[in-house]
Amino acid sequence: MFETCADVTTSPPLARTSSAIARAKSRLASAVVDGHTWYWPANEELLDDEPDEVRLLAPFDPVVWDRRRFELLWGWGYRFEAYTPAPKRKHGYYALPLLWRDQVIGWANVTRQDGAVEADFGYASGRAPRARDFRNALDEDVERLRKFLRPTG
């Protein structure tokens, strides 16, 4: 098929792909942080302050699914453990990463039993933030989840 590395990079399909990637990167804003290049839409505006919100993220959220990037950004490892044997789980069967402001600080295991929604929380630091606005925001997001999971009919 290809005789040399040069043949691979100059083959028509790969050359077009490389060219398209180079054009896309030239239109994106970027920064190098700790040796990693990060790209984002050039017209995206950064927030001046962090919203005091909590969000339980799905394990397949783009913020979460890349484990290497997750650990690089948040400083702790998260893994979807639904297929991990119970004795080997660290966070739980279907742990939902817990985003507060601009940090993923822990996880929640949410269960629904007999119509009631219960949530257990774990924190990367070993404890929940003490700020009152955190507790209020956490309660609001859990209530949002309860309404979403409420049975109909």
Side-chain angles (χ1 to χ4, degrees):
M1 177 175 240
F2 298 112
E3 293 186 24
T4 68
C5 290
D7 293 339
V8 172
T9 57
T10 58
S11 72
L14 292 175
R16 283 193 301 268
T17 300
S18 296
S19 176
I21 290 171
R23 284 192 314 273
K25 285 181 176 179
S26 72
R27 292 190 302 264
L28 297 172
S30 67
V32 176
V33 179
D34 293 336
H36 297 274
T37 304
W38 301 93
Y39 295 93
W40 61 90
N43 60 351
E44 186 173 288
E45 293 181 30
L46 300 176
L47 298 175
D48 289 335
D49 57 9
E50 307 159 341
D52 283 331
E53 295 179 346
V54 167
R55 290 293 183 260
L56 296 174
L57 304 174
F60 305 108
D61 188 290
V63 169
V64 177
W65 67 265
D66 182 333
R67 285 190 266 169
R68 185 181 62 82
R69 181 181 62 186
F70 183 95
E71 192 162 352
L72 182 68
L73 290 173
W74 315 120
W76 62 279
Y78 168 82
R79 181 180 174 157
F80 179 62
E81 298 176 324
Y83 303 108
T84 302
K88 294 184 177 185
R89 292 181 191 142
K90 295 179 182 176
H91 302 109
Y93 173 74
Y94 200 88
L96 305 172
L98 176 61
L99 175 70
W100 182 46
R101 296 181 175 161
D102 67 347
Q103 297 292 312
V104 179
I105 62 167
W107 60 93
N109 282 288
V110 180
T111 57
R112 186 172 150 205
Q113 202 165 24
D114 300 323
V117 174
E118 298 296 325
D120 260 340
F121 300 96
Y123 299 93
S125 70
R127 63 181 175 82
R130 297 176 191 233
R132 183 181 306 142
D133 55 343
F134 168 74
R135 189 70 225 178
N136 293 338
L138 181 61
D139 291 343
E140 286 174 18
D141 202 50
V142 170
E143 184 57 31
R144 228 183 333 269
L145 188 59
R146 280 189 178 104
K147 288 177 182 175
F148 176 76
L149 295 174
R150 185 171 292 140
T152 58

